[in-house]
Amino acid sequence: MFINKQNITDKNILCLILLSLVRITASPKMPEVPKNKTIMTLNIQKIREDFPILQQKIYNRPLVYFDNAATTQRPQQVIDVLTQTYTQYYGNIHRAAHFLADKATAAYEETRDKVKNLINAESREQIIFTKGTTESINLAAFAFGEAFVKAGDEIIVSEMEHHSNIVPWQMMAGRKGAKILMLPIDNDGRLLIEKLEELITPKTKLIAVAHVSNVLGTINPIAQIAQIAHAKGLRIFVDGAQAAPHLQIDVQKLNVDFYALSAHKMYGPNGVGVLYGKKELLEQLPPYQGGGEMISEVKFSGTTYNELPYKFEAGTPNISGVIAFGAAIDYLQNIGFENLSAWEHELLEYATAQLLAIPGLQIYGTQAEKSGVISFNVEGVHFFDLGTMLDKFGIAVRTGHHCADPLMDHFGIQGTVRASFAFYNTKAEIDIFVEALRKVIAMF
Ligand code: PMP
């Protein structure tokens, strides 16, 4: 995210200094256990105790962490496994001839099975570990381009994509002499699926689309898009970075060709991601990077490549990160996706109603099928100023273009404030947020 420092006016600087000096008098409530139906299954207060970082105060105020779409926080259970790998069974994986390496290999490969089960992949060979969604997309775009794309071919990318799901396809298209076409959205943040039929030509090779938008929160009808794509003989790549933390993913039901996700948005370590692919497709793709592990045999006369998934996992991976991601998956499954998404939806509705009552506040992304993300602007106040001032209340939100420039262009804006929720958030935190927001707006 880039911050435009030119937008910090003298008046705002003065306000910031005042805010730092003066103790703001909004009541420092600790989040309370919400009284609602999901409390029957989710004890939010108990869940929060698992997250050490949430216990702290920022500027002497309870932390309200609403930047979960950027990255989530980790429970102690994940931190413990991360520590255990370094203190008890750390060694380089595969080709293991000793106890530590053996144990690390088994734990690493166990996470592969957990991911397979989490997203209901057909087989473990289809789970490729990467360093994140961005690397998963770069891998897929490069390898797919090498195998299937030639000059004049077309790739369709939606208007609501994160830059990660645009630029790698553009780079590949540039190398191959192919074209990128845009699938537009309407002003509610709905993908205009009906335009797909017009966009698809015999030259179209693939559609790249997010499962959930990181700005609008829109949940796209992936199964429907996959059906259209396959009926026309094309492949579908799904960026699941914002979906996998909130929804039960079933890649077989969705019938997608590729699916990408990041562990750090799923309460796991950063530097770990996954690329899922259909087996027959992955088998046809060339490797993305060369090095150790991805080979079967190396001679100066030529190299043969390893089998799936190792063909795509060159070099030493993030061993401890992958192992600890297994603990994050266990944690999520223990809570249950139905429970956490029901609670997050309740938070979304609660916050949306309160925000809409603020004069001059506009929300971007008003689809019914929406995850817990609210992007907004307030008339007459710059989004960066809002975010900076909210921080002084101990509230973490994100401001800027959210790595989605084409989407910003659609709405004719430079950026927004984005509040994004996780299952550990509470309605009391939303109250604190809305109260602080009203105060900040009043200052302008
Ligand atoms: N796609 C979407 C929709 C995202 O929200 C993000 C992260 N903001 C990414 C891709 C990139 O993920 P990562 O930085 O973990 O590679």
Side-chain angles (χ1 to χ4, degrees), residues 21 29 77 97 107 146 163 183 191 219 228 268 282 303 312 321 375 407 420 434:
L21 295 176
K29 290 179 263 185
Q77 290 84 337
E146 289 301 297
H163 295 161
L183 177 64
L191 263 187
I219 302 172
I228 296 169
L282 291 176
T303 290
F312 295 110
S375 286
L407 187 57
S420 51
V434 173

Side-chain angles (χ1 to χ4, degrees), residues 69-70 132-135 137 162 164 210 212 214 239 241-242 262 264-265:
T133 300
T134 302
E135 191 177 51
I137 301 172
H162 188 282
S164 307
V212 171
N214 65 315
D239 171 354
Q242 296 294 343
S262 291
H264 73 95
K265 294 185 196 285

Side-chain angles (χ1 to χ4, degrees), residues 48-65:
R48 289 179 70 84
E49 286 168 15
D50 290 337
F51 292 81
I53 205 167
L54 298 180
Q55 313 308 324
Q56 69 181 305
K57 293 196 168 182
I58 305 282
Y59 306 120
N60 210 26
R61 311 184 66 75
L63 165 67
V64 173
Y65 188 76

Side-chain angles (χ1 to χ4, degrees), residues 287-432:
Y288 171 53
Q289 292 183 325
E293 197 61 36
M294 51 75 71
I295 52 87
S296 167
E297 192 179 56
V298 179
K299 300 272 178 225
F300 277 103
S301 54
T303 290
T304 50
Y305 302 130
N306 207 339
E307 59 198 14
L308 289 175
Y310 310 107
K311 179 171 84 169
F312 295 110
E313 291 183 5
T316 302
N318 185 346
I319 300 165
S320 47
V322 167
I323 295 170
F325 182 34
I329 293 171
D330 292 344
Y331 190 89
L332 278 166
Q333 287 184 322
N334 201 26
I335 290 180
F337 278 90
E338 268 180 23
N339 297 327
L340 70 87
S341 60
W343 176 237
E344 288 169 357
H345 193 75
E346 209 167 313
L347 292 174
L348 173 72
E349 289 192 332
Y350 185 75
T352 303
Q354 291 208 52
L355 289 176
L356 285 176
I358 296 177
L361 188 145
Q362 186 188 350
I363 291 178
Y364 304 92
T366 48
Q367 277 291 285
E369 287 291 299
K370 188 175 166 176
S371 93
V373 174
I374 307 181
S375 286
F376 64 92
N377 274 320
V378 177
E379 209 182 330
V381 192
H382 196 276
F383 50 82
F384 175 63
D385 296 332
L386 285 175
T388 311
M389 305 287 252
L390 285 169
D391 173 59
K392 299 291 178 283
F393 286 79
I395 299 163
V397 291
R398 189 139 293 241
T399 61
H401 54 53
H402 313 296
C403 299
D405 274 341
L407 187 57
M408 297 298 119
D409 291 344
H410 175 96
F411 289 105
I413 54 176
Q414 299 278 306
T416 71
V417 178
R418 182 185 71 187
S420 51
F421 309 122
F423 55 76
Y424 47 55
N425 289 128
T426 67
K427 289 184 181 175
E429 287 182 303
I430 291 170
D431 293 342
I432 293 172

Side-chain angles (χ1 to χ4, degrees), residues 44-308:
I44 308 297
Q45 208 54 50
K46 180 116 191 33
I47 283 171
R48 289 179 70 84
E49 286 168 15
D50 290 337
F51 292 81
I53 205 167
L54 298 180
Q55 313 308 324
Q56 69 181 305
K57 293 196 168 182
I58 305 282
Y59 306 120
N60 210 26
R61 311 184 66 75
L63 165 67
V64 173
Y65 188 76
F66 283 172
D67 196 18
N68 295 290
T71 196
T72 51
Q73 303 297 347
R74 286 109 198 81
Q76 190 61 50
Q77 290 84 337
V78 170
I79 299 167
D80 285 347
V81 172
L82 203 52
T83 310
Q84 274 161 27
T85 62
Y86 286 124
T87 53
Q88 293 171 28
Y89 48 92
Y90 184 74
N92 210 335
I93 54 166
H94 304 134
R95 304 171 305 272
H98 61 84
F99 179 85
L100 290 182
D102 241 356
K103 203 157 174 209
T105 303
Y108 181 93
E109 290 300 332
E110 196 184 326
T111 299
R112 203 185 302 278
D113 291 322
K114 287 181 182 176
V115 176
K116 171 202 169 278
N117 294 334
L118 177 77
I119 64 172
N120 193 30
E122 298 87 338
S123 65
R124 66 191 316 280
E125 292 80 28
Q126 294 163 268
I127 306 301
I128 300 158
F129 287 119
T130 63
K131 68 182 168 72
T133 300
T134 302
E135 191 177 51
S136 299
I137 301 172
N138 275 276
L139 190 169
F142 175 86
F144 185 82
E146 289 301 297
F148 295 113
V149 180
K150 54 185 189 317
D153 282 347
E154 292 163 358
I155 306 290
I156 297 174
V157 179
S158 103
E159 193 176 12
M160 67 168 76
E161 296 311 301
H162 188 282
H163 295 161
S164 307
N165 204 22
I166 301 174
V167 183
W169 300 109
Q170 279 179 330
M171 289 163 67
M172 179 273 279
R175 279 193 303 272
K176 293 286 162 183
K179 254 198 332 208
I180 302 289
L181 304 181
M182 187 189 79
L183 177 64
I185 59 165
D186 68 14
N187 288 340
D188 290 331
R190 186 183 72 86
L191 263 187
L192 298 178
I193 311 288
E194 57 277 17
K195 296 250 181 225
L196 257 184
E197 304 275 350
E198 285 168 38
L199 281 175
I200 296 171
T201 73
K203 291 177 172 179
T204 316
K205 287 288 185 305
L206 178 138
I207 300 172
V209 63
H211 195 167
V212 171
S213 160
N214 65 315
V215 180
L216 308 166
T218 309
I219 302 172
N220 287 317
I222 295 300
Q224 187 194 350
I225 301 171
Q227 203 172 24
I228 296 169
H230 293 145
K232 300 274 183 181
L234 13 152
R235 303 287 191 169
I236 173 168
F237 179 97
V238 179
D239 171 354
Q242 296 294 343
H246 309 290
L247 308 173
Q248 181 75 64
I249 308 301
D250 185 330
V251 289
Q252 293 190 64
K253 248 197 207 146
L254 293 172
N255 196 14
V256 291
D257 296 294
F258 292 110
Y259 199 94
L261 55 87
S262 291
H264 73 95
K265 294 185 196 285
M266 302 171 71
Y267 314 91
N270 52 320
V272 176
V274 168
L275 175 67
Y276 156 88
K278 287 236 168 92
K279 197 167 176 193
E280 49 74 33
L281 176 58
L282 291 176
E283 273 166 349
Q284 294 178 70
L285 303 185
Y288 171 53
Q289 292 183 325
E293 197 61 36
M294 51 75 71
I295 52 87
S296 167
E297 192 179 56
V298 179
K299 300 272 178 225
F300 277 103
S301 54
T303 290
T304 50
Y305 302 130
N306 207 339
E307 59 198 14
L308 289 175

